[in-house]
Amino acid sequence: MTRQLFSFRLAATLLVWTMSGLAASAIEMPTRKAGLWEMKMVRTGSPLPDMTMQHCTDESTDKAMSSSFSPMSKDICSKNDIQKTATGYITDSVCTVGGISVTSHSETTGDFNSAYAVKVISHSQGGPSGPRDTTMTVEAKWLGACKADQKPGDIVMPGGRTMNVRDMEKLKAMAPK
């Protein structure tokens, strides 16, 4: 049970970090194609395990996620700059979460219809293990329609546990302060 709770909190935090950098800008990010997306998170320089999740989404869920996380990123990030490039988006941010300062640079590429990738290079300070450099890559691919028992916003975590991102207040409460 503790491992499942850890995975749930980790995924919520990673989604906040990944999506808040994309949402807090005047530049409008494209929404993902409706349906079931597989999101594989691979990290180097981190004690956290790699993770693969499935996310059922639609246009309104993606927009709601962006608009809900945007105010939170303003609260925790002193810098959150985003630029559109020829191949995607670049985001540079400085955020403080749970007393840990994280400076990150991310590059997002892809078409948001069949696949996209987000590469985040970050440096953290202030944690119990001291300064740390990490690289996280989120590789997402569209799998098709959501399964019959899924509704937009459902995320299936490792081990089969499901949460729904539409429960934003619960996700915000779980993110480290």
Side-chain angles (χ1 to χ4, degrees):
M1 180 68 168
T2 303
R3 186 176 178 102
Q4 288 177 335
L5 183 58
F6 171 76
S7 293
F8 184 75
R9 287 183 178 178
L10 172 64
T13 302
L14 290 172
L15 283 170
V16 169
W17 282 2
T18 303
M19 297 308 288
S20 67
L22 301 178
S25 171
I27 295 175
E28 189 165 328
M29 293 292 293
T31 55
R32 293 176 293 172
K33 181 177 183 176
L36 188 61
W37 286 85
E38 179 180 81
M39 298 171 57
K40 181 178 181 182
M41 297 179 190
V42 177
R43 288 171 289 282
T44 57
S46 171
L48 301 174
D50 293 344
M51 181 183 302
T52 300
M53 302 177 287
Q54 290 186 348
H55 186 192
C56 173
T57 192
D58 63 6
E59 184 177 354
S60 68
T61 302
D62 264 12
K63 287 183 179 183
M65 203 162 126
S66 293
S67 64
S68 182
F69 283 139
S70 184
M72 186 184 342
S73 68
K74 290 176 185 173
D75 292 342
I76 65 173
C77 300
S78 61
K79 175 183 178 183
N80 206 356
D81 298 332
I82 186 169
Q83 298 175 16
K84 174 120 176 67
T85 68
T87 58
Y89 302 86
I90 293 178
T91 305
D92 290 293
S93 63
V94 178
C95 303
T96 302
V97 179
I100 299 172
S101 174
V102 180
T103 302
S104 64
H105 173 85
S106 67
E107 297 180 14
T108 304
T109 57
D111 65 9
F112 296 91
N113 285 311
S114 61
Y116 67 91
V118 182
K119 182 177 182 179
V120 182
I121 300 169
S122 63
H123 175 77
S124 62
Q125 281 187 207
S129 58
R132 175 169 296 181
D133 294 319
T134 60
T135 300
M136 177 181 73
T137 302
V138 178
E139 296 174 349
K141 66 179 177 181
W142 189 75
L143 300 178
C146 295
K147 295 177 182 172
D149 63 341
Q150 293 177 321
K151 61 184 182 284
D154 280 354
I155 296 177
V156 180
M157 304 293 297
R161 190 167 186 91
T162 299
M163 66 178 201
N164 192 290
V165 296
R166 288 206 176 261
D167 299 328
M168 290 299 161
E169 292 307 312
K170 290 177 188 175
L171 287 176
K172 288 178 187 179
M174 290 171 42
K177 305 287 182 214

